[in-house]
Amino acid sequence: MTYTSRDGTAWPLDYEEFISEHLAEFMRLGVQRLRSIHDADDAVANACKRIFERWEKIKYHPNPVAVARLVVRHYCIEHLRRVARDDRLRQRLATVLFEQPVTTADDILKLRGIDRLDRPWAALEERAPKQAECLRLRYHEAMSNAEIALALDCNVNAVKTNIHLGLNSLRRAMEHPDMGEGET
């Protein structure tokens, strides 16, 4: 026998009875593990969804309550992992956005002359993006040719060729900055 909810979802009546009978127990387990009723509610809701997806196997298990409690524990742990992952992401973002190191005069002097490279680099990225990406990975990320080939899904000879051609293109553009588009 099945029960159909207002949104048209059908579930077995025995599933509904099982959840109704044990929901308070699952919530207590969730609150005990997560120390927050809101977090426990999220974890138990996800666990109930998973129990529903596996209901045909769970209901024939010799101890379906034990299996369901295991699922609830798993989703409590998953919830904690997700919260920790989100916190790490927020901390990284805050570090990048708000805790930039102070720029010194020495840092600015090191960058002298790089602005000459900006226009040729932009032109290379527009005209030959694969060459620009190979150069970026090689010189900014300090990757080897084999690592670049793996990252860009091409062979090592193609990486070497793209780096060679990209460097030549940048060199020509920096030697002749007044050359227009299409001139060689």
Side-chain angles (χ1 to χ4, degrees):
M1 177 178 232
T2 61
Y3 172 77
T4 305
S5 68
R6 281 180 256 161
D7 66 352
T9 308
W11 62 76
L13 193 55
D14 53 346
Y15 168 78
E16 181 186 11
E17 291 169 358
F18 178 80
I19 293 298
S20 296
E21 186 178 332
H22 299 285
L23 185 60
E25 177 184 350
F26 299 154
M27 282 299 294
R28 281 193 303 275
L29 177 63
V31 169
Q32 177 190 9
R33 288 187 161 270
L34 297 174
R35 304 283 186 223
S36 163
I37 194 158
H38 302 293
D39 293 344
D41 191 40
D42 287 344
V44 170
N46 289 331
C48 286
K49 179 180 179 239
R50 185 63 171 180
I51 291 167
F52 173 72
E53 291 169 352
R54 304 285 178 152
W55 181 242
E56 290 303 314
K57 286 185 178 181
I58 293 173
K59 76 177 179 181
Y60 293 117
H61 190 275
N63 191 350
V65 176
V67 174
R69 287 179 59 85
L70 202 68
V71 172
V72 171
R73 276 196 298 268
H74 168 77
Y75 276 94
C76 288
I77 293 168
E78 181 61 33
H79 181 80
L80 291 172
R81 285 181 182 149
R82 187 170 16 104
V83 168
R85 192 170 44 242
D86 291 348
D87 284 347
R88 283 193 307 269
L89 181 63
R90 264 189 242 105
Q91 287 173 354
R92 256 187 275 140
L93 187 61
T95 301
V96 169
L97 293 178
F98 303 114
E99 297 175 10
Q100 294 285 333
V102 177
T103 305
T104 64
D106 292 334
D107 295 333
I108 294 172
L109 289 175
K110 287 179 189 175
L111 297 175
R112 198 174 28 182
I114 289 184
D115 58 335
R116 276 185 37 210
L117 184 61
D118 286 343
R119 284 181 54 201
W121 186 261
L124 180 66
E125 283 183 329
E126 185 178 316
R127 191 176 58 251
K130 191 80 150 194
Q131 292 175 12
E133 187 64 22
C134 285
L135 287 173
R136 182 178 297 109
L137 292 175
R138 179 75 174 123
Y139 294 105
H140 290 279
E141 301 294 326
M143 293 173 82
S144 68
N145 290 344
E147 292 170 328
I148 295 169
L150 186 63
L152 297 180
D153 194 29
C154 60
N155 64 37
V156 176
N157 289 332
V159 170
K160 290 178 185 177
T161 302
N162 281 322
I163 289 173
H164 177 76
L165 293 174
L167 285 174
N168 283 344
S169 179
L170 288 176
R171 194 174 295 120
R172 276 193 314 272
M174 290 181 70
E175 288 172 358
H176 306 289
D178 54 343
M179 287 179 69
E181 288 282 324
E183 295 181 32
T184 56

